[in-house]
Amino acid sequence: MKVEIKGNKIFAPLKNGWVTNTAEEKLKQEFIARLVNSYGYLPEQLAQDVEIKKRYIADIAIWRSEKDKLKSAIPSIIITVECKAEHIKIKESDYSIGYNFASTINANFFIAVNLKEAKVFHIQKDNAPKKVEKLSDIPKAEILSDDRRIDKYIKDTKSFTREEFTKLLTRCHNIIRNNDKLSPEAAFDEISKVLFMKIMYERNAKEEMIFSKAKFQSDEKHYEQIIRPNLKKDVALYDQDYMQYLFDNTKREFETDGIFEPRDQIKIKRNSFEMIVEELEAFNLSDTSDDVKGIAFEQFLGKTFRGELGQFFTPRTIVDFMVDILDPQEGETICDPCCGSGGFLITAFEHIRNQIDLEIKNEIIKIKADYFDSTFETSTPKRQKEIDKKVQGLITKLNAEFDVKNPKSRYYHLSHNCVFGTDANPRMARTAKMNMIMHGDGHNGVHHNDGLLNVNGIFDNRFDVILTNPPFGSRVEKSLKITEADRFTDPTRIKKYKKLYGAQYDDALKQVNDNVGKSLLSLYEVGSLSSLTEVLFLERCINLLKPGGRMGIVLPEGVLNNTNLQKIRDYIEGRAKILLITSIPQDVFIASGATVKPSLLFFKKFTDEERNQWETLETVIRKEVLTTHQLDVIPDAKTISKKIEEELYSEIKNKIKTAFNYEIPIAQIEKAGISSTGSAIENELNPLAAEYKIYRKTNKLWKTDNNRIKYLITNDEIKRSSDMAGINGQSDIFYGK
């Protein structure tokens, strides 16, 4: 079946006539054609704009057979069509009316359709009140005619849990380990390729919603008969089997994301590929919730990389606690300069996204309360319908805030402008991007780069929040030089970043460009005191923060109590206030392969005022101490003993600390939610986070009056208030037109 359009008319085969070609009518006809062509339904068992029980109008109805339709039986499937802007995902508020309709008449299934997607639900008739169960695909015609097949279909295609997905990924991993004899890390790379091929198909599905083995084989047949002969003839270089051809299309789809290398290829046997696709085919990855998909992917990562790459995974209980303590807000920029698999970035992203979700939800509640007031109940049915339409329109426009492809939305700003990270390990940088995509996005700011060097938007005085777990115990050798290879030379991206960051970006490039041939240690003041990576990253993170920015970092306790690192501690205390020190048991990191006892340190970089205060005190006290000792300056170590030099230095620092006095909370945690074997135990971090939140707000440790977004409704339009200027510099209508 093909969709026919002539001028401003479109042919409606189920009505056997031409109708006005509106956007909604076109969507109906395209979906009817899809039902016939891809799912095997006969036009005789379908109807459009059909009245049921003289009360309900179904946009499209499907009966189990033509006979049932002729008997005026209740349709098995009810479909509602909403022609929203293409980027709007279907929300619960969009399908509640249609679902209630389908439930009332005892239909088996309900489908909500818009320009972006279709959502399929099974109506559980045995429950009172009736419940909805989300499915991953539309049942095909042959299934609808058989009760037993319907039951099996519902069981096989219902939305899956994170535990089911984790087990499924493990099965796929074992297929590759057994069939292709690849290492765990290499097997993970191949699973990732298949996952993204599946995501690409299901994100853009125009026919069947699921990327299945049968669909792959059908498309492969078309490719071999039609496409491949032309490739052989015109561009012999691109002659390849369908599996590789499909992966090349996937690479192009994610080209700007840096997930795959240009020369990457599928490295598993065709048999392994088909087995994995078959394992995955019950599930629609494009439609699965980010929470299910993301956490399952993260659990799978932990199992796969435990051991050799375990240091890249900070336990979830620690990540959650550190994010709770720093409480990142919408509009703030966040960075992890050694991000591993992306745990801190993902959790901070979700923390802010949850704030946005709650605010939008509350705004919808407020709109409904304002419009569905006491006068609504006494209004005429016509007026009620008008009000209901207006409310649904406002809710639709608010839903545009959730679209990561809409440059004016709050989700877009969070995903594209707020989250940044680097990792020096190429597999981990790529994994972090994949992990973030599975969790809902925010991956564009993640790079494969040395975390001590600037890249993209990662440079000094840029960030409101730093969250990180730097590598422990290793050293940066004095012989390690900055080389020409460290220069960033992509002219297109440099132009883009200069436009984004202005003169700051020119200065950021100088960190490498002006120091080629010099030691990496020479870039850091603490480099003359220590070459430990955790020490260098401590200075790096403070440099990255804006004045007044805050940081949470995992450090070995030696940094706090090793006498050899006293000058490091003095240097840090001269640039930032300590917000909280939390000692946690060594057991927490044993499951990840670490053996050092860690502490969680939280700092706030001096504001300009605090910086001036410290420097003034330092000048006054230094002069006071030197005068007391009848000295103009601290003599060179060659002319006095090391002991006297240290005593003078210590006296000056202690007097400054006494004058620049503030309270430092310290907590000792015995149980942090995870045992040495990785199993869940009691978590004392949760009550500590709740207690600290009250403490820091009471003591105003940092600004907590971040602007909340307000919405202004004028007629049928909804705009953000001027508070939004803190988010993207403008107050604007934000929904797609």
Side-chain angles (χ1 to χ4, degrees), residues 6 54 150 166 239 242 264 293 353 362 368 380 431 460 478 487 563 576 599 630 662 690 714:
K6 291 181 181 178
K54 297 183 178 180
I150 287 177
T166 306
D239 177 31
Y242 183 62
D264 268 350
K293 207 165 34 181
R353 187 174 63 183
N362 288 338
K368 287 182 175 180
T380 64
T431 298
D460 292 357
K478 292 180 181 178
R487 289 184 189 269
T563 54
S599 281
Q630 298 181 339
Y662 61 92
T714 307

Side-chain angles (χ1 to χ4, degrees), residues 174-184 186-187 268-269 272:
N174 291 338
I175 287 170
I176 294 176
R177 298 283 313 271
N178 295 335
N179 285 8
D180 301 275
K181 314 301 180 189
L182 297 181
S183 69
I268 55 176
K269 299 169 184 172
S272 300

Side-chain angles (χ1 to χ4, degrees), residues 422-455:
T422 60
D423 202 275
N425 182 296
R427 176 175 274 125
M428 279 300 106
R430 188 168 64 250
T431 298
K433 282 178 171 287
M434 293 176 180
N435 201 3
M436 295 182 81
I437 288 173
M438 288 291 183
H439 277 84
D441 228 312
H443 66 282
N444 293 287
V446 175
H447 300 271
H448 168 221
N449 201 67
D450 187 331
L452 294 169
L453 298 177
N454 294 339
V455 64

Side-chain angles (χ1 to χ4, degrees), residues 456 488 493-502 505:
N456 186 355
F488 188 69
R493 292 195 176 185
I494 288 175
K495 183 179 179 181
K496 171 188 172 184
Y497 298 148
K498 282 185 177 181
K499 184 177 179 181
L500 281 172
Y501 310 122
Y505 188 68

Side-chain angles (χ1 to χ4, degrees), residues 411-632:
Y411 265 28
Y412 181 94
H413 178 71
L414 172 61
S415 294
H416 291 79
N417 304 322
C418 297
V419 181
F420 294 81
T422 60
D423 202 275
N425 182 296
R427 176 175 274 125
M428 279 300 106
R430 188 168 64 250
T431 298
K433 282 178 171 287
M434 293 176 180
N435 201 3
M436 295 182 81
I437 288 173
M438 288 291 183
H439 277 84
D441 228 312
H443 66 282
N444 293 287
V446 175
H447 300 271
H448 168 221
N449 201 67
D450 187 331
L452 294 169
L453 298 177
N454 294 339
V455 64
N456 186 355
I458 302 175
F459 51 82
D460 292 357
N461 299 306
R462 262 274 292 155
F463 295 97
D464 299 284
V465 177
I466 300 284
L467 288 151
T468 194
N469 178 8
F472 296 170
S474 59
R475 293 183 180 272
V476 174
E477 298 298 328
K478 292 180 181 178
S479 59
L480 182 62
K481 307 288 185 184
I482 298 170
T483 69
E484 289 290 339
D486 293 315
R487 289 184 189 269
F488 188 69
T489 57
D490 186 325
T492 303
R493 292 195 176 185
I494 288 175
K495 183 179 179 181
K496 171 188 172 184
Y497 298 148
K498 282 185 177 181
K499 184 177 179 181
L500 281 172
Y501 310 122
Q504 280 184 301
Y505 188 68
D506 288 320
D507 291 337
L509 289 175
K510 291 177 184 178
Q511 186 210 36
V512 170
N513 294 346
D514 291 0
N515 292 288
V516 172
K518 295 181 182 178
S519 165
L520 178 60
L521 287 174
S522 69
L523 297 183
Y524 291 92
E525 293 182 51
V526 298
S528 61
L529 303 173
S530 173
S531 61
L532 286 169
T533 50
E534 60 263 37
V535 169
L536 292 167
F537 270 107
L538 193 49
E539 180 183 343
R540 169 64 164 168
C541 290
I542 289 177
N543 290 342
L544 289 172
L545 286 173
K546 297 174 182 176
R550 54 205 189 276
M551 168 176 67
I553 186 169
V554 183
L555 289 173
E557 287 201 348
V559 174
L560 297 176
N561 51 36
N562 188 328
T563 54
N564 294 330
L565 297 177
Q566 181 59 49
K567 285 193 174 181
I568 303 294
R569 292 192 289 275
D570 291 339
Y571 172 81
I572 299 302
E573 288 179 18
R575 302 188 68 199
K577 281 187 172 182
I578 301 172
L579 295 171
L580 173 67
I581 299 173
T582 304
S583 176
I584 58 175
Q586 184 174 337
D587 288 359
V588 172
F589 280 87
I590 286 177
S592 298
T595 56
V596 178
K597 189 177 189 313
S599 281
L600 312 178
L601 274 71
F602 300 88
F603 298 92
K604 179 174 76 73
K605 186 174 180 177
F606 285 166
T607 62
D608 291 336
E609 181 183 348
E610 289 165 338
R611 179 76 172 171
N612 291 335
Q613 185 183 353
W614 179 277
E615 290 176 349
T616 300
L617 281 171
E618 189 173 38
T619 301
V620 170
I621 290 171
R622 175 180 286 270
K623 185 175 181 180
E624 176 189 308
V625 170
L626 293 179
T627 300
T628 302
H629 290 274
Q630 298 181 339
L631 297 167
D632 294 325

Side-chain angles (χ1 to χ4, degrees), residues 24 98 120 220 228 374 459 530 545 607 670 691 701 714:
E24 188 166 299
V120 185
E220 180 183 48
R228 191 169 186 179
S374 57
F459 51 82
S530 173
L545 286 173
T607 62
E670 300 297 333
E691 184 182 347
L701 297 186
T714 307

Side-chain angles (χ1 to χ4, degrees), residues 211-246:
F211 181 57
S212 63
K213 178 181 174 181
K215 178 63 178 169
F216 168 75
Q217 291 174 341
S218 169
D219 288 352
E220 180 183 48
K221 187 176 180 181
H222 173 77
Y223 169 80
E224 292 291 346
Q225 291 176 350
I226 307 298
I227 299 174
R228 191 169 186 179
N230 291 327
L231 286 177
K232 286 181 180 180
K233 178 182 175 183
D234 300 333
V235 193
L237 180 66
Y238 294 119
D239 177 31
Q240 56 197 339
D241 63 36
Y242 183 62
M243 184 172 70
Q244 188 60 48
Y245 173 80
L246 198 59

